[in-house]
Amino acid sequence: MPDGGQLMPLREGQALIAVRILSLRIEAEDVVSLTLRGVGGALPGWEPGAHVDLHLPGGVIRQYSLCGEPGADWRIAVLRLPDGRGGSVAVHGLRLGEVISVSAPRNHFPMVAADRMLFVAGGIGVTPILPMVRRAAAMGVDWRLIYLGRSADRMAFAAEVAALDPFRVSLVQTDRDGMPDVSTYPALAADGVVHACGPSGLLTALEAAFAAAGRPGDLHLERFAPVTVTQPGDGMVRLHLARSGRFIDVGPEVSLLEGLRAAGVDHPSSCEQGFCGTCECRVLKGVPDHRDTLLSDEERARGDVMLPCVSRAKGNELTLDL
């Protein structure tokens, strides 16, 4: 990473980037944005849809979308969830000038170019969508954004979004306007693609609408929470760690990731619900039982990677590149 900021060792073959909090700004009720600057050098570039992992006090790792403009500094925005798992509360407790560690940008939600684009953002889901809208405007394509929020005071970056082109942006306050009929959205994106991020209910409704229209492939989603799926019972899985030669038996009462940790393997993770990709690892032998909401059908069919936080094995043994 020759163009990155100061690198901080994490594990063999990995590194973190030290960044300083350059600014803190309230963007909406319970939403704060952070501008981050590299300590000792420029930060790596990124593309719309990218995210970084923040390594927070207490060993907490959480993933947040980059929502500024690609350039010298990074910007993220975080919704405070008092009843969450502690990551957002930790971010809201950070201070101006504080130095924290972050990963290099990764992108599981790349922007798909087309002559016509519809963007749908729900709540804090606007964060990965905003750079995409800017890119679409710069490309000169036919684009439209629908941004839904419960109320005006909860819609971060609403003024910034509207300023891009007020004739192409629709701000929907659901407490005043009600929920829109998303079954009409495939017609709004005729001959084009859709990028959407927001609450699970909104994304599930969009999936149903585009499936009914015979266009599921035109819809591209990023979820901030997993789809709830009932899984069958599990048996013991024996993990063979190829690098060390160790064998670890993981019972059905814990995830494979928890089994690795119990055996002293320090493997990175963030959401631990199968939708962020932080814990992804290579599978060298055996067939994964994929239970994530991140991997594509092609990646699942290849079977050479898996997310051990939720996925298991079809069979009773896997060999991992760990």
Side-chain angles (χ1 to χ4, degrees):
M1 197 181 301
D3 61 338
Q6 178 177 321
L7 299 181
M8 305 176 66
L10 176 61
R11 304 200 317 267
E12 183 180 356
Q14 294 189 351
L16 292 176
I17 304 170
V19 297
R20 189 180 305 278
I21 301 175
L22 193 64
S23 72
L24 292 163
R25 177 176 171 177
I26 302 301
E27 302 291 353
E29 184 174 342
D30 289 330
V31 177
V32 64
S33 69
L34 289 71
T35 301
L36 309 174
R37 177 166 293 178
V39 175
L43 292 169
W46 55 278
E47 290 294 315
H51 66 268
V52 294
D53 294 340
L54 266 64
H55 290 245
L56 301 164
V60 176
I61 304 173
R62 292 294 182 269
Q63 189 176 72
Y64 298 105
S65 298
L66 292 167
C67 61
E69 297 189 45
D73 300 325
W74 289 347
R75 183 177 70 172
I76 63 170
V78 180
L79 171 65
R80 186 177 185 273
L81 298 171
D83 299 325
R85 297 189 300 127
S88 66
V89 173
V91 172
H92 278 245
L94 296 173
R95 296 290 179 263
L96 190 67
E98 190 169 348
V99 175
I100 59 175
S101 302
V102 301
S103 70
R106 294 180 295 154
N107 200 336
H108 294 302
F109 186 40
M111 179 175 168
V112 178
D115 292 334
R116 177 176 294 178
M117 299 185 188
L118 173 65
F119 301 95
V120 182
I124 198 62
V126 73
T127 50
I129 295 295
L130 184 52
M132 293 187 181
V133 175
R134 289 200 201 94
R135 176 66 59 84
M139 292 167 58
V141 302
D142 182 7
W143 64 271
R144 179 174 177 182
L145 167 66
I146 302 174
Y147 179 14
L148 298 84
R150 188 192 315 171
S151 57
D153 60 348
R154 292 182 173 272
M155 298 176 70
F157 307 119
E160 185 174 327
V161 164
L164 293 173
D165 189 332
F167 298 103
R168 295 180 182 268
V169 174
S170 298
L171 301 178
V172 181
Q173 299 175 36
T174 58
D175 63 351
R176 180 194 66 189
D177 307 321
M179 283 297 297
D181 180 5
V182 300
S183 67
T184 64
Y185 286 12
L188 295 177
D191 303 319
V193 299
V194 181
H195 298 81
C197 184
S200 292
L202 171 64
L203 301 187
T204 299
L206 284 170
E207 285 180 316
F210 278 82
R215 298 173 53 199
D218 291 335
L219 179 63
H220 305 275
L221 304 177
E222 180 171 62
R223 295 182 180 274
F224 286 160
V227 177
T228 301
V229 179
T230 301
Q231 299 291 354
D234 298 305
M236 184 275 294
V237 177
R238 170 161 287 190
L239 298 178
H240 177 206
L241 309 188
R243 297 185 196 176
S244 65
R246 294 179 61 190
F247 287 88
I248 300 172
D249 291 334
V250 182
E253 69 282 356
V254 298
S255 69
L256 299 187
L257 178 64
E258 290 170 326
L260 288 168
R261 286 180 176 162
V265 179
D266 182 21
H267 191 67
S269 69
S270 179
C271 75
E272 299 189 11
Q273 298 178 77
F275 65 89
C276 79
T278 302
C279 69
E280 181 179 307
C281 61
R282 290 182 62 216
V283 178
L284 303 180
K285 186 178 180 181
V287 181
D289 180 7
H290 296 292
R291 302 181 181 184
D292 62 275
T293 57
L294 175 70
L295 297 179
S296 66
D297 290 342
E298 180 182 351
E299 290 170 320
R300 290 168 182 263
R302 286 203 313 265
D304 57 356
V305 295
M306 71 176 299
L307 273 60
C309 67
V310 293
S311 298
R312 295 188 74 82
K314 293 182 178 179
N316 57 11
E317 186 166 334
L318 289 171
T319 299
L320 304 179
D321 186 19
L322 295 175

